[in-house]
Amino acid sequence: MTLPPLSSASKRALSKLGITYPIIQAPMAGTSTPLLASTISNAGGLGSIGLGASNSTAAKKMILDTRKLLDPNKGGKFNVNFFVHSTPQFDPSSNLKWLEKLKPHFERYGGTIPEELKVIYKSFKDDDDMLNVLLETKPPIISFHFGIPPIHVLRQLKDIGSVLMVTATSIEEAQKIEKEGEGLVDFIVAQGYEAGGHRGIFDPNGPDEKLPTFVLCSLLLSTNTNNNGAQVGVGVGVKTPIIAAGGIMNGRHIKTYLDLGCAAVQLGTAFIGCPESSVDQGFREALFNPDKSRCTMMTKYISGRPARSICNKFTDLEKEIQLEGGEVVELPEYPITYDAGKALHAAAKAQGEYGYGAQWAGQGAPLARKLDAKEMLETLVREWKEAEGMSSA
Amino acid sequence: MTLPPLSSASKRALSKLGITYPIIQAPMAGTSTPLLASTISNAGGLGSIGLGASNSTAAKKMILDTRKLLDPNKGGKFNVNFFVHSTPQFDPSSNLKWLEKLKPHFERYGGTIPEELKVIYKSFKDDDDMLNVLLETKPPIISFHFGIPPIHVLRQLKDIGSVLMVTATSIEEAQKIEKEGEGLVDFIVAQGYEAGGHRGIFDPNGPDEKLPTFVLCSLLLSTNTNNNGAQVGVGVGVKTPIIAAGGIMNGRHIKTYLDLGCAAVQLGTAFIGCPESSVDQGFREALFNPDKSRCTMMTKYISGRPARSICNKFTDLEKEIQLEGGEVVELPEYPITYDAGKALHAAAKAQGEYGYGAQWAGQGAPLARKLDAKEMLETLVREWKEAEGMSSA
């Protein structure tokens, strides 16, 4: 099991995470499963489960299920991911307005439109039960999306020995993680604009620089030097090791980001199509049809927060509503909008229409391959070695 | 002058372009100069001048000036760039509406608001005089932005021995270049969303997938293989060699794109701050102040076409107007809007306010370095070799 030469950042990451390859299967709530995560971990990568859309009971079951499937001889590591969004403000009038907009779509599929929308899950920062599940089950690695948990929570999670990771989409967010995390955050997941699924941006209503993964990582790592070898440029050079996420689809891409100075890489879209994932047939067909998957769009209309989906009925809906005379539609806050989205998807799916699914995928989707999870990880490692000029034997 | 090991695509590109290093200084109309272009070419790269905003007389002078400065012993190659946008439709009422919007800004600087806007330059496809300048001066390399010239024009330019390049921002545009160019286009410049200046998108009012350079190049090159070594995924695998453009700021970045399979790389923002460029002091100061240059924005408000500028008074203006109740502002067609933009910049600049300049720069801008053009090229080559593990001696 000879690995290509690794940077000291990557060596430290492998040691800290307790894994063989610096390859993380992204936590994809609704897509990753205990089987997918454990298969990746047992094969030497880091498997993840996305628990942001679960309540504490379901989350605990997922954690225990994953642990049961893990081979302790292979390290037994896994990552659990949570959403740290602001507490949603419930506004019945904006909820009803949004349902009114969706009405013709529900009617088209004979679905029953919900009478009111619900806050379908809590932010991690508002969920003491979830924190207790973590303190009890002690997952080895815990990652956060949309924001940073309060410092006293980070301290409790460090005290149980967990490695902590937080997503950043900009220099500002990375700096905030270092400052507010007071050195307790072990890794920053640098998520580029091309990444699939929910964009980790802290303020979904603020400006978005839309930095792609390669530029974001370059800026965070500040790899430029002048002729005297001194660093120049932004000089943010965050000290926390960086994990690149977004647009990474093969072993050559992995080598690129490791060469750039990232400690590890995180791939989501590459694993969506694995039979171990829980995506439905409609999503799978869209993913493996490059004529469909080559169009992805960042939209708030599915969940209430910007997220990248394969172009489908939902993204059409956004265009359609925008064309209605430039009216600005106020969506309910995340995840209230998602309640409507899920209901509409269920109604349409019952009629065989899969186009209202949250078909989260990144811009690299057309490069997705039909392989099972173990084969996929092995293929990525083989390609990474080949890109390094190593024999894959 | 030992080069790192090159792919066959890069070797062929160097031979076809007649240069030493697969590094192109981007043609930046209003920024690149005959001195900048010739310095890069004389140092072994490919220098470019942007003539899209010139009339045929000015263009001819620029071409002859560049040629005079080129060392024939160093190959004497250079690239000239033109804009192939649709013929602007002149609409006095939309022009006046836009001037009305800008009025308070002109007044703030005591400037005289133009009475009417002009079409300040022609599309290459409508400019027979420009074509005649090319047929007469026979530039070795000619590149096009915003579209493809008609096939009979491409044929005439091939007949005088010119190498031809066209920008693409999507798979569709690359396929169009191959199809409509009938094999006459030698290189596709794959421009990512992070690139500075005018986005080369063919239809500025159509949907924009916003593919970053790394993903766009990966998709065009279709580098994924399955376990049998066969290509999978989009399978567009365009046959025309790809030149990567956008976000490339140092030698490590150059290596990344060459490793990915690109034939060469094109850098604009890295060269903006060279003393040989023609940018004004305000632009230079913004570029070298990372607190300013780390914010860039794609905006139509300066020229009428989407282009990435350092955040300034113009990008503020866009936000301000968008906040006025979500009203959709119809801009005059490119380049008519630019006539207003240039006038406003001139008025403000006369009062010492540089913030209305077209401060075109890419998202990698904070990594820009204060080096003269020859030093910049040498530094890029040194870093590229170092990234390859070669001694730079």
Side-chain angles (χ1 to χ4, degrees):
Chain A
M1 205 161 48
T2 317
L3 289 182
L6 289 170
S7 69
S8 54
S10 284
K11 282 182 202 160
R12 280 194 301 269
L14 292 180
S15 156
K16 192 159 220 168
L17 296 168
I19 55 177
T20 307
Y21 307 117
I23 302 173
I24 302 171
Q25 165 253 313
M28 301 174 282
T31 294
S32 59
T33 60
L35 181 60
L36 177 63
S38 58
T39 304
I40 296 302
S41 287
N42 290 341
L46 178 64
S48 307
I49 48 176
L51 303 176
S54 302
N55 62 29
S56 58
T57 311
K60 183 172 175 182
K61 184 176 180 331
M62 291 266 282
I63 291 172
L64 298 179
D65 285 352
T66 304
R67 197 160 247 154
K68 248 182 259 168
L69 295 167
L70 285 169
D71 183 345
N73 297 320
K74 300 288 176 65
K77 301 295 186 181
F78 65 109
N79 169 40
V80 295
N81 181 262
F82 297 95
F83 298 154
V84 194
H85 48 280
S86 56
T87 310
Q89 299 305 306
F90 194 83
D91 175 352
S93 107
S94 100
N95 296 358
L96 290 176
K97 260 194 228 159
W98 181 236
L99 283 171
E100 195 57 35
K101 278 274 176 205
L102 295 182
K103 205 175 170 190
H105 299 268
F106 275 96
E107 282 169 355
R108 191 174 305 156
Y109 301 100
T112 312
I113 196 157
E115 287 187 15
E116 178 51 290
L117 295 173
K118 294 181 297 296
V119 180
I120 51 176
Y121 41 79
K122 289 183 184 173
S123 167
F124 179 78
K125 73 178 182 57
D126 300 329
D127 195 347
D128 287 343
D129 292 340
M130 191 67 87
L131 175 60
N132 288 330
V133 164
L134 295 185
L135 297 176
E136 184 193 338
T137 56
K138 300 184 178 51
I141 297 136
I142 307 174
S143 62
F144 298 101
H145 212 61
F146 300 146
I148 317 160
I151 188 71
H152 69 274
V153 171
L154 292 180
R155 285 209 193 96
Q156 284 177 280
L157 297 175
K158 286 307 280 186
D159 284 346
I160 57 167
S162 299
V163 172
L164 304 180
M165 319 204 282
V166 181
T167 297
T169 65
S170 66
I171 294 176
E172 286 74 7
E173 288 171 2
Q175 288 173 328
K176 206 169 168 173
I177 291 166
E178 293 210 325
K179 195 172 167 218
E180 295 184 11
E182 297 181 10
L184 297 176
V185 176
D186 299 281
F187 295 93
I188 290 173
V189 179
Q191 186 197 32
Y193 194 67
E194 63 266 58
H198 277 98
R199 182 148 174 77
I201 193 165
F202 289 7
D203 176 4
N205 302 312
D208 185 347
E209 293 168 21
K210 301 177 184 166
L211 293 168
T213 313
F214 192 72
V215 176
L216 176 59
C217 291
S218 291
L219 293 177
L220 293 178
L221 296 162
S222 286
T223 46
N224 268 1
T225 50
N226 65 17
N227 277 331
N228 303 320
Q231 282 204 346
V232 295
V234 283
V236 286
V238 296
K239 292 185 198 91
T240 313
I242 302 297
I243 295 167
I248 306 172
M249 295 298 293
N250 59 36
R252 183 175 289 280
H253 295 173
I254 292 172
K255 174 172 156 53
T256 294
Y257 285 99
L258 296 179
D259 282 353
L260 197 61
C262 296
V265 294
Q266 180 170 295
L267 294 78
T269 305
F271 292 107
I272 293 170
C274 295
E276 293 87 349
S277 86
S278 58
V279 298
D280 66 24
Q281 179 198 350
F283 191 168
R284 216 171 282 271
E285 280 171 7
L287 178 72
F288 289 125
N289 179 347
D291 286 337
K292 289 188 178 172
S293 68
R294 74 198 234 182
C295 178
T296 68
M297 211 174 118
M298 192 71 84
T299 179
K300 283 187 178 182
Y301 280 44
I302 300 179
S303 77
R305 257 192 174 261
R308 186 175 290 285
S309 167
I310 294 175
C311 297
N312 62 16
K313 298 272 178 188
F314 251 122
T315 59
D316 289 349
L317 183 68
E318 171 155 0
K319 276 181 267 177
E320 194 183 300
I321 290 179
Q322 280 177 341
L323 287 175
E324 283 171 14
E327 177 205 6
V328 176
V329 181
E330 294 283 348
L331 294 170
E333 284 194 30
Y334 173 89
I336 301 167
T337 302
Y338 213 174
D339 190 23
K342 285 171 192 261
L344 181 54
H345 173 47
K349 196 168 162 176
Q351 301 296 317
E353 169 57 63
Y354 286 80
Y356 289 95
Q359 297 174 335
W360 306 139
Q363 290 184 316
L367 299 173
R369 293 171 285 188
K370 280 186 192 173
L371 294 171
D372 71 35
K374 185 163 179 285
E375 286 173 324
M376 179 60 79
L377 191 74
E378 287 169 354
T379 301
L380 293 171
V381 172
R382 175 178 57 75
E383 291 172 337
W384 169 35
K385 289 182 182 178
E386 282 169 4
E388 287 281 0
M390 294 172 73
S391 155
S392 61
Chain B
M1 204 160 48
T2 318
L3 289 183
L6 289 170
S7 68
S8 55
S10 284
K11 282 183 202 160
R12 280 194 301 270
L14 292 180
S15 156
K16 193 160 218 169
L17 296 168
I19 56 177
T20 307
Y21 307 118
I23 302 173
I24 301 171
Q25 165 253 315
M28 300 174 282
T31 294
S32 59
T33 59
L35 181 59
L36 177 62
S38 59
T39 303
I40 297 302
S41 287
N42 290 340
L46 178 64
S48 307
I49 48 176
L51 303 176
S54 301
N55 63 29
S56 59
T57 311
K60 183 171 176 180
K61 183 175 182 330
M62 290 265 283
I63 291 172
L64 298 179
D65 285 352
T66 305
R67 198 159 245 154
K68 248 182 258 170
L69 294 167
L70 285 169
D71 183 343
N73 297 321
K74 300 288 175 65
K77 301 294 185 182
F78 65 110
N79 168 39
V80 296
N81 182 262
F82 298 95
F83 297 156
V84 193
H85 48 281
S86 58
T87 311
Q89 299 305 306
F90 194 83
D91 175 353
S93 108
S94 100
N95 295 359
L96 290 176
K97 261 194 229 161
W98 181 236
L99 282 171
E100 195 58 34
K101 278 273 176 206
L102 295 182
K103 204 174 170 189
H105 300 268
F106 275 97
E107 283 168 354
R108 191 173 306 155
Y109 301 100
T112 312
I113 197 157
E115 288 188 15
E116 178 51 290
L117 295 172
K118 294 181 297 298
V119 180
I120 50 177
Y121 41 80
K122 288 183 185 174
S123 167
F124 179 77
K125 74 179 182 56
D126 299 329
D127 195 346
D128 287 343
D129 292 340
M130 193 68 88
L131 176 59
N132 287 330
V133 164
L134 295 185
L135 297 176
E136 184 193 339
T137 57
K138 300 182 177 55
I141 297 136
I142 308 174
S143 62
F144 299 102
H145 212 61
F146 301 146
I148 316 160
I151 188 70
H152 69 274
V153 170
L154 292 180
R155 285 210 193 94
Q156 284 178 279
L157 297 175
K158 286 308 280 185
D159 284 347
I160 57 167
S162 299
V163 171
L164 305 181
M165 319 204 281
V166 181
T167 297
T169 65
S170 66
I171 294 176
E172 286 73 8
E173 288 171 1
Q175 288 173 328
K176 207 169 169 176
I177 291 167
E178 292 209 325
K179 196 172 166 218
E180 296 185 10
E182 296 182 9
L184 298 176
V185 176
D186 299 280
F187 295 93
I188 290 173
V189 179
Q191 187 198 32
Y193 194 67
E194 63 266 56
H198 277 97
R199 182 149 174 76
I201 193 165
F202 289 7
D203 176 4
N205 301 313
D208 185 346
E209 294 168 20
K210 302 176 184 168
L211 293 168
T213 312
F214 192 71
V215 176
L216 175 60
C217 291
S218 291
L219 293 177
L220 293 179
L221 295 162
S222 286
T223 45
N224 268 3
T225 50
N226 65 17
N227 278 330
N228 303 318
Q231 281 204 346
V232 296
V234 282
V236 287
V238 296
K239 293 186 198 90
T240 312
I242 302 296
I243 295 167
I248 306 171
M249 296 298 294
N250 59 37
R252 183 174 291 278
H253 295 173
I254 292 171
K255 174 172 156 52
T256 294
Y257 285 99
L258 297 179
D259 282 354
L260 197 61
C262 296
V265 293
Q266 180 170 296
L267 294 78
T269 305
F271 292 108
I272 292 170
C274 295
E276 293 88 348
S277 86
S278 58
V279 298
D280 66 26
Q281 179 198 350
F283 191 169
R284 215 169 283 271
E285 280 170 7
L287 178 72
F288 289 124
N289 179 345
D291 286 338
K292 290 189 179 172
S293 67
R294 72 199 235 180
C295 177
T296 67
M297 211 174 118
M298 192 71 84
T299 179
K300 282 186 179 183
Y301 280 45
I302 300 179
S303 78
R305 257 193 173 261
R308 186 176 292 283
S309 168
I310 293 176
C311 297
N312 63 15
K313 298 272 176 187
F314 251 122
T315 60
D316 288 350
L317 184 68
E318 171 155 1
K319 277 182 266 178
E320 193 183 302
I321 291 179
Q322 280 176 341
L323 287 175
E324 284 171 14
E327 176 206 8
V328 177
V329 181
E330 293 283 348
L331 294 170
E333 284 195 29
Y334 173 90
I336 300 166
T337 302
Y338 214 174
D339 189 23
K342 285 171 192 264
L344 180 53
H345 175 47
K349 195 168 163 176
Q351 302 294 319
E353 169 56 64
Y354 286 80
Y356 289 95
Q359 296 173 335
W360 306 138
Q363 290 183 317
L367 299 172
R369 293 172 283 189
K370 280 186 191 173
L371 294 171
D372 71 36
K374 185 165 179 285
E375 286 172 324
M376 180 60 78
L377 191 74
E378 287 170 354
T379 300
L380 294 171
V381 172
R382 173 178 59 75
E383 291 171 335
W384 170 35
K385 290 182 181 177
E386 283 168 3
E388 287 281 359
M390 294 172 72
S391 153
S392 60

